[in-house]
Amino acid sequence: MSRQELPVLADPSACCAPMVTEALTEDAAAALARGFKALGDPVRLRLLSLIAARAGGEVCVCELTDAFTLTGPTISHHLKVLREAGLIDCQRRGTWVYYWIVPARLAALSQLLDVSAAAASTGSTR
């Protein structure tokens, strides 16, 4: 599926209830854990932020490697982990690879961390 075929939701909360209203299933927890595990490394977190900073645009791998003092193969490994977790996707064009964020996957992770709906329903402000 190409990036142009992905649906874009103006309001991600319109499609799904916050996950904090019910417990996760075992499969859902495992899927989300893969994403959080991928983000548990500072290099991968920074890579994701560099790609996300393009606000829906693409970033060439050449720009990403220039932002680090790490070797190209190390950056490639971290990008592979992010891809396998479904947080980013890519396309090769000639000798370069271009990366972009997968908004739906990030929305699922952020939805789990959004406790504002639970706090509003209980009246808690902790």
Side-chain angles (χ1 to χ4, degrees):
M1 177 185 291
S2 75
R3 190 172 141 263
Q4 291 74 23
E5 295 172 7
L6 294 175
V8 177
L9 299 174
D11 180 14
S13 64
C15 73
C16 309
M19 286 187 178
V20 293
T21 61
E22 60 186 58
L24 291 172
T25 65
E26 189 174 331
D27 290 341
L32 288 169
R34 282 190 294 275
F36 284 118
K37 184 176 179 180
L39 292 177
D41 182 277
V43 173
R44 290 192 288 267
L45 192 56
R46 187 161 173 234
L47 280 166
L48 187 76
S49 74
L50 287 168
I51 298 168
R54 288 296 172 97
E58 302 171 335
V59 181
C60 179
V61 70
C62 61
E63 295 176 61
L64 296 172
T65 54
D66 288 346
F68 293 88
T69 57
L70 302 169
T71 64
T74 300
I75 296 296
S76 292
H77 165 73
H78 287 297
L79 289 167
K80 178 184 175 188
V81 171
L82 290 170
R83 260 191 352 266
E84 288 175 347
L87 300 171
I88 62 173
D89 205 352
C90 66
Q91 181 181 51
R92 177 173 291 283
R93 296 182 201 144
T95 58
W96 298 113
V97 179
Y98 291 83
Y99 291 88
W100 58 85
I101 293 294
V102 178
R105 185 73 171 118
L106 288 177
L109 294 177
S110 65
Q111 189 177 30
L112 181 65
L113 298 175
D114 181 9
V115 295
S116 59
S121 68
T122 63
S124 175
T125 57
R126 287 189 238 176

